[in-house]
Amino acid sequence: MKMDNLNYSQIKTLLAVYKHKQGNLAALELGVTNCTITRTLNSLRNIFMDSLFIRKSNGLIPTQKTEELIPHAQLLIEQYRLIENQHSVFSPSQSGGHFIIRAYDEFIYAVHKVIETYISPEAPNIRFDVRGLSHDCTQDLVAGSVDFIVVYEGFDDTRLNYEIFSETGDIYILANKEHPIHHETLSLENLSKYSLLEIDNYSDLSCPLLVNLCRDSGLQMDVHGYTDSVATAMRLLSVSDSITLSCNHFTREFVDMMPSVRSRRLPDEIIKSIKEIRSEQRTVGNYILYGNTNNSPVFNWVKSKLVYGLEKEWRTASEK
């Protein structure tokens, strides 16, 4: 082995290819070209005298030698990043990288806006992959294949870190603009007369909040259906007598653009009851989740910008 030739950039490339199983995705993460990845892998193969990865239909499959190297490479990266964090000067404009963000549908537009407004002007070389969250991505966060997840308060895993960017304040009922609920007293008894359309992404609740609250009061509320799409929910509400519950100001912003759907704030006592159900473990609000695999300066900078930007966008939406 020619260990004298091994450097920080090569170790990062090895880990990125191992994580993504594809050279092009590793290139996106590291902010380099595909050719750079290929050249670096060739250098690593010469250093370790092993093919390291075997190309198959499902991607680049690590060899036994690579599996043996990965734990050591991860330890080295931790030490390199410790030196980088403590002794290097971070410059957003000179930094690159590729970050994968998964978010509930209600947050996707806000995340894109934060990237365009608060991140890209200062760091034009950083790239993002922002998509909807429709399943439990906990393992992806822990493994580092997803960088950030933007969710409500419904999560519970000690391996995750989190930052809250807004606490839940007002909670609303959404319904067809001609719906009688807009003119009735907003009591649980009146709400239970209508079926609930649940905007359900990845939920840890076995029963929708409003249905559960009605049951606790001896009332029965039927569930019309579930959807993980806010746009679909608005279409369904506009042509039915169902109602839905929302504590998200970004959703309410979207509703304001829909002439067929209106929102109405719930009374304080019902809001209090809903918050009590959801506040057993932590503050009821909206969070950015992330794992422990990346503590680089650019990662921490992006995280701080996401928290700051989403908090600011939330305040702006709540004032409308």
Side-chain angles (χ1 to χ4, degrees), residues 240-257:
S240 72
D241 63 353
S242 297
I243 62 175
T244 195
L245 186 72
S246 176
C247 57
N248 194 301
H249 288 302
F250 297 138
T251 303
R252 194 167 56 84
E253 269 192 319
F254 184 74
V255 170
D256 288 343
M257 297 187 294

Side-chain angles (χ1 to χ4, degrees), residues 9-26:
S9 177
Q10 291 170 330
I11 298 172
K12 288 195 295 184
T13 298
L14 177 68
L15 290 174
V17 174
Y18 180 80
K19 179 172 74 172
H20 295 291
K21 304 296 186 292
Q22 293 185 39
N24 61 327
L25 294 180

Side-chain angles (χ1 to χ4, degrees), residues 288-299:
I288 292 177
L289 308 186
Y290 54 97
N292 294 311
T293 58
N294 193 341
N295 288 301
S296 66
V298 65
F299 179 91

Side-chain angles (χ1 to χ4, degrees), residues 104 106 133-134 152 197-205 208 225-229 244:
Y104 282 167
E106 298 94 318
L133 175 65
S134 59
Y152 310 133
L197 174 64
E198 179 79 344
I199 303 177
D200 183 82
N201 303 89
Y202 172 73
S203 178
D204 63 332
L205 295 175
Y226 295 81
T227 179
D228 61 0
S229 166
T244 195

Side-chain angles (χ1 to χ4, degrees), residues 141-142 146-149 159-163 288-292 294-295 299-300 303:
L141 274 182
V142 172
V146 170
D147 296 292
F148 301 102
I149 295 179
R159 297 171 297 174
L160 300 182
N161 305 299
Y162 57 85
E163 301 274 353
I288 292 177
L289 308 186
Y290 54 97
N292 294 311
N294 193 341
N295 288 301
F299 179 91
N300 291 324
K303 177 183 66 180

Side-chain angles (χ1 to χ4, degrees), residues 174-191:
L174 310 180
N176 185 306
K177 68 175 183 178
E178 305 296 338
H179 200 290
I181 200 64
H182 293 303
H183 309 288
E184 297 176 345
T185 301
L186 285 182
S187 64
L188 287 177
E189 183 175 3
N190 283 338
L191 291 170

Side-chain angles (χ1 to χ4, degrees), residues 149-153 155 161-168 282-290 303-304 306-308 310-312 314:
I149 295 179
V150 186
V151 296
Y152 310 133
E153 72 283 353
F155 59 91
N161 305 299
Y162 57 85
E163 301 274 353
I164 186 170
F165 63 84
S166 65
E167 293 187 19
T168 296
R282 60 182 65 83
T283 302
V284 180
N286 304 295
Y287 292 80
I288 292 177
L289 308 186
Y290 54 97
K303 177 183 66 180
S304 67
L306 285 172
V307 173
Y308 170 79
L310 286 171
E311 179 183 7
K312 191 167 183 180
W314 181 271

